């Protein structure tokens, strides 16, 4: 997910998409291999001017069923949603989130800050609205929250046996629209997680939710969400397009084994300490800590990279340890 909104204070030609009415799903990888090859051939040389760089074209469908669309010319998640909306003549706010290479609500394949050059994008749009009352019988509700990078927080995981697990109408993939009548659209996922934690115990609260639209044949039992150990395994191309909250998107090599293990562990720590999962935030932390020599140096670099968001000291220390373990191959 894009990282800009984590900072609490600041430091001192339009291209259209088109639909491919009769294209087979397998054709959705066009342009990926040639872009990766171009990037490889340019190794060691300065990048060509923007106007001469090869265009990366991705193919997409609406998850509940649609023709195939081509999209290009985006550098972040909001622009991606805008291009998808243009392709299918819908409003960008209708898009809840995207998955890669599957039309299912599969949290293992959730689009975050990276897209494999040969990935096929499926956009999940707003479906049925729901309102439910929940009795908070325990301090923890059993929810893990993430967001789509464009203002929508949604449920990424439901813990077995938890308070929310007993409320069958609440499902993984549901967008959290209101808590006790307060509209939370535009609120980041870590703030939503905090609001849910702070709700008083032994009281009833109300949630307004929006579930992703499903085709009739796609209806299936509610999912508990992805297991942490298997996350972040998306993309089979030779490289990835990394989306950034600031600056242009960049084509990079596929993550190394160290990076995958470290990002997965840091994402687990985010869930443990803050009740969220955010692979792009985890990847940024790993990138920041890669060459730091001690926890203090890491903490200073983390503060510079992510603004003055107050991470707990224990969390920063544990993240430093996780990165060190990954470097040593200890997990």
């Amino acid at each position: 997910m894009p990282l800009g909104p984590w900072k609490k204070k600041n430091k001192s030609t339009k291209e259209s998409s088109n639909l491919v009415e009769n294209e087979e799903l397998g054709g959705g990888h066009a342009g990926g291999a040639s872009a990766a090859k171009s990037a490889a051939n340019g190794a060691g040389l300065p990048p060509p001017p923007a106007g001469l760089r090869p265009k990366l074209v991705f193919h997409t469908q609406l998850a509940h069923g649609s023709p195939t669309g081509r999209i290009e010319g985006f550098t972040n998640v909001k622009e991606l949603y805008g291009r998808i909306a243009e392709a299918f003549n819908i409003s960008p706010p209708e898009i809840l989130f995207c998955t890669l290479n599957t039309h299912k609500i599969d949290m293992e394949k959730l689009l975050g800050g990276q897209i494999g050059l040969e990935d096929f994008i499926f956009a999940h749009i707003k479906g049925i609205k729901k309102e439910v009352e929940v009795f908070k019988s325990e301090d923890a509700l059993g929810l893990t929250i993430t967001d789509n990078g464009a203002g929508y927080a949604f449920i990424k995981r439901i813990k077995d046996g938890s308070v929310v697990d007993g409320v069958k109408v609440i499902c993984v993939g549901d967008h959290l629209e209101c808590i006790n009548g307060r509209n939370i659209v535009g609120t980041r996922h870590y703030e939503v997680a905090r609001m849910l934690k702070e709700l008083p115990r032994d009281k009833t609260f109300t949630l307004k939710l929006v579930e992703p639209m499903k085709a009739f044949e796609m209806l299936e039992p509610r999912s508990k969400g992805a297991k942490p150990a298997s996350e972040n395994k998306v993309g089979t191309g030779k490289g990835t397009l990394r989306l950034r909250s600031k600056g242009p998107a960049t084509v990079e090599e596929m993550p190394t084994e160290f990076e995958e293990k470290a990002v997965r562990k840091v994402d687990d720590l985010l869930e443990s300490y803050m009740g969220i999962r955010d692979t792009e935030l985890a990847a940024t932390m790993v990138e920041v800590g890669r060459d730091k020599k001690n926890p203090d140096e890491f903490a200073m670099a983390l503060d510079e990279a992510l603004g003055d968001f107050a991470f707990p000291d224990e969390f920063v220390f544990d993240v430093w340890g996780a990165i060190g373990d990954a470097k040593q191959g200890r997990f």
Side-chain angles (χ1 to χ4, degrees):
M1 297 296 165
L3 301 178
W6 277 83
K7 299 185 178 182
K8 289 192 175 181
K9 60 184 179 181
N10 293 329
K11 300 187 176 219
S12 312
T13 22
K14 188 174 181 181
E15 299 175 28
S16 62
S17 305
N18 61 300
L19 297 181
V20 187
E21 294 290 346
N22 297 312
E23 189 156 20
E24 294 294 333
L25 184 64
H29 308 318
S34 60
K37 182 177 180 181
S38 176
N41 290 342
L45 299 176
L52 298 179
R53 295 175 191 168
K55 291 182 179 180
L56 299 178
V57 179
F58 295 87
H59 286 196
T60 184
Q61 289 181 355
L62 300 181
H64 65 280
S66 75
T68 299
R70 292 193 188 96
I71 55 171
E72 58 183 290
F74 57 90
T75 61
N76 56 51
V77 173
K78 286 186 178 180
E79 290 182 4
L80 168 63
Y81 289 175
R83 293 291 187 264
I84 294 173
E86 289 174 4
F88 297 104
N89 195 28
I90 60 176
S91 171
E94 288 297 304
I95 301 173
L96 292 179
F97 56 85
C98 295
T99 50
L100 300 176
N101 306 314
T102 180
H103 65 281
K104 296 181 179 181
I105 302 171
D106 185 347
M107 295 293 106
E108 293 187 43
K109 302 298 178 66
L110 191 67
L111 185 152
Q114 291 187 333
I115 307 174
L117 296 184
E118 297 186 3
D119 282 336
F120 198 105
I121 302 170
F122 288 89
H124 299 256
I125 69 172
K126 289 182 177 180
I128 297 172
K129 291 191 173 185
K130 305 180 286 191
E131 183 170 338
V132 60
E133 291 189 347
V134 181
F135 181 72
K136 189 176 182 181
S137 58
E138 300 178 17
D139 291 330
L141 292 170
L143 287 178
T144 297
I145 309 299
T146 189
D147 71 34
N148 70 348
Y152 290 166
F154 61 94
I155 298 170
K156 189 165 187 178
R157 186 122 54 82
I158 299 173
K159 185 178 180 181
D160 287 331
S162 64
V163 172
V164 171
D165 189 32
V167 185
K168 300 307 179 184
V169 73
I170 301 177
C171 301
V172 166
D174 285 356
H175 160 48
L176 293 157
E177 188 175 61
C178 293
I179 300 175
N180 281 338
R182 176 182 173 182
N183 189 300
I184 56 172
V185 173
T187 304
R188 289 305 306 270
H189 52 334
Y190 58 89
E191 294 173 340
V192 174
R194 177 182 53 79
M195 292 167 62
L196 292 170
K197 285 182 179 179
E198 292 176 352
L199 290 170
R201 183 171 175 171
D202 297 325
K203 298 283 186 180
T204 297
F205 65 95
T206 302
L207 290 177
K208 287 186 178 180
L209 308 160
V210 183
E211 69 177 40
M213 185 178 292
K214 304 179 184 72
F216 181 77
E217 64 273 14
M218 289 167 54
L219 298 178
E220 53 192 30
R222 144 177 117 161
S223 170
K224 297 297 176 63
K227 296 180 180 179
S230 59
E231 289 196 62
N232 311 323
K233 299 282 189 178
V234 295
T236 56
K238 295 180 180 179
T240 64
L241 179 69
R242 182 166 184 184
L243 307 178
R244 303 178 185 275
S245 58
K246 293 183 179 180
T250 55
V251 176
E252 301 178 355
E253 295 295 325
M254 291 294 288
T256 64
E257 184 178 4
F258 151 70
E259 290 168 331
E260 287 187 345
K261 290 181 177 179
V263 168
R264 189 159 58 240
K265 181 60 177 179
V266 173
D267 204 20
D268 289 345
L269 290 170
L270 281 170
E271 181 175 23
S272 175
Y273 277 91
M274 305 176 70
I276 65 171
R277 293 196 81 86
D278 189 328
T279 55
E280 180 63 10
L281 175 61
T284 298
M285 290 181 167
V286 171
E287 187 176 331
V288 167
R290 180 190 297 273
D291 59 350
K292 301 303 178 289
K293 297 180 176 60
N294 56 64
D296 290 337
E297 186 178 340
F298 173 59
M300 292 177 62
L302 202 61
D303 182 66
E304 183 176 348
L306 298 174
D308 55 358
F309 183 83
F311 291 110
D313 291 341
E314 314 87 64
F315 170 76
V316 174
F317 186 80
D318 284 350
V319 169
W320 167 254
I323 294 172
D325 287 342
K327 287 180 179 178
Q328 300 299 322
R330 287 197 285 264
F331 57 79

